């Protein structure tokens, strides 16, 4: 695989992931405002989790050039972190034994995780776009 082919596939994986990140922000906002039932929230988180796994499985198959191993690993790490965050969020929604204070703490924790993930994602996305645009 050439460097350009690798960067093109990386760009696609990041674009697909960005769509899911936006969905997470939308779902979280609706969830916080009480506009979604717990069943709807669970269903939406499951859809996102499956999409992340699909992106990861497809991206993991590619064989990057040796010069691009670092970017490849960073993208895989972003996808893993994102999947873990979504799974964690989905799991605490299903827990009926949590009181409102615990749920709020868990929401705050995932909100912080999301901020870190979004920051890392933006940095990596800019780097891939810059490398892709170079000849």
């Amino acid at each position: 695989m050439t460097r350009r082919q690798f960067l093109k596939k990386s760009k696609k994986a990041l674009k697909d992931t960005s769509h899911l990140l936006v969905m997470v922000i939308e779902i979280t906002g609706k969830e916080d405002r009480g506009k979604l039932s717990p069943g709807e929230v669970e269903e939406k988180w499951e859809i996102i989790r499956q999409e992340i796994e699909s992106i990861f499985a497809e991206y993991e198959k590619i064989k990057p050039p040796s010069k691009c191993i670092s970017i490849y690993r960073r993208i895989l790490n972003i996808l893993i972190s994102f999947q873990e965050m979504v799974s964690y969020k989905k799991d605490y929604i299903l827990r009926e034994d949590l009181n409102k204070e615990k749920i709020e703490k868990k929401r705050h924790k995932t909100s912080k995780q999301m901020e870190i993930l979004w920051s890392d994602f933006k940095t990596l996305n800019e780097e891939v776009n810059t490398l892709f645009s170079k000849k």
Side-chain angles (χ1 to χ4, degrees), residues 21-22 27 41 47 54 66 77 87 106 129:
L21 287 168
V22 170
I27 292 168
V41 172
I47 290 167
S54 174
S66 59
N77 285 336
S87 292
K106 292 198 181 282
N129 285 334

Side-chain angles (χ1 to χ4, degrees), residues 69-100:
I69 294 291
S70 174
I71 292 174
Y72 175 73
R73 288 183 181 151
R74 287 171 54 204
I75 291 173
L76 289 176
N77 285 336
I78 289 274
L79 292 169
I80 290 167
S81 296
F82 189 27
Q83 195 274 338
E84 287 174 348
M85 191 260 319
V86 168
S87 292
Y88 178 79
K89 193 149 177 82
K90 182 180 175 257
D91 289 346
Y92 88 72
I93 289 169
L94 298 174
R95 303 237 354 239
E96 295 176 7
D97 61 330
L98 295 177
N99 63 30
K100 289 187 180 203

Side-chain angles (χ1 to χ4, degrees), residues 1-120:
M1 169 175 285
T2 68
R3 180 177 174 264
R4 184 145 180 92
Q5 290 170 327
F6 167 76
L7 291 171
K8 187 174 183 178
K9 289 183 184 270
S10 296
K11 192 172 179 173
K12 181 187 179 317
L14 291 170
K15 180 181 176 189
D16 294 345
T17 304
S18 69
H19 170 70
L20 296 175
L21 287 168
V22 170
M23 285 178 61
V24 165
I25 293 167
E26 289 174 3
I27 292 168
T28 302
K30 288 180 180 178
E31 180 185 17
D32 290 345
R33 292 187 305 273
K35 298 216 179 209
L36 295 173
S37 71
E40 290 173 315
V41 172
E42 178 189 353
E43 183 181 316
K44 290 183 184 295
W45 286 125
E46 181 60 22
I47 290 167
I48 291 171
R49 187 191 62 75
Q50 289 173 357
E51 288 291 322
I52 296 166
E53 286 180 4
S54 174
I55 293 168
F56 180 87
E58 180 136 344
Y59 189 74
E60 185 182 36
K61 292 177 189 175
I62 67 174
K63 302 291 185 217
S66 59
K67 295 177 188 176
C68 300
I69 294 291
S70 174
I71 292 174
Y72 175 73
R73 288 183 181 151
R74 287 171 54 204
I75 291 173
L76 289 176
N77 285 336
I78 289 274
L79 292 169
I80 290 167
S81 296
F82 189 27
Q83 195 274 338
E84 287 174 348
M85 191 260 319
V86 168
S87 292
Y88 178 79
K89 193 149 177 82
K90 182 180 175 257
D91 289 346
Y92 88 72
I93 289 169
L94 298 174
R95 303 237 354 239
E96 295 176 7
D97 61 330
L98 295 177
N99 63 30
K100 289 187 180 203
E101 183 179 314
K102 285 183 181 179
I103 288 173
E104 198 55 41
K105 282 182 183 178
K106 292 198 181 282
R107 279 189 182 157
H108 183 71
K109 180 179 178 180
T110 56
S111 179
K112 288 285 188 193
Q113 288 173 326
M114 188 66 195
E115 288 175 22
I116 293 167
L117 181 66
W118 185 250
S119 175
D120 293 345

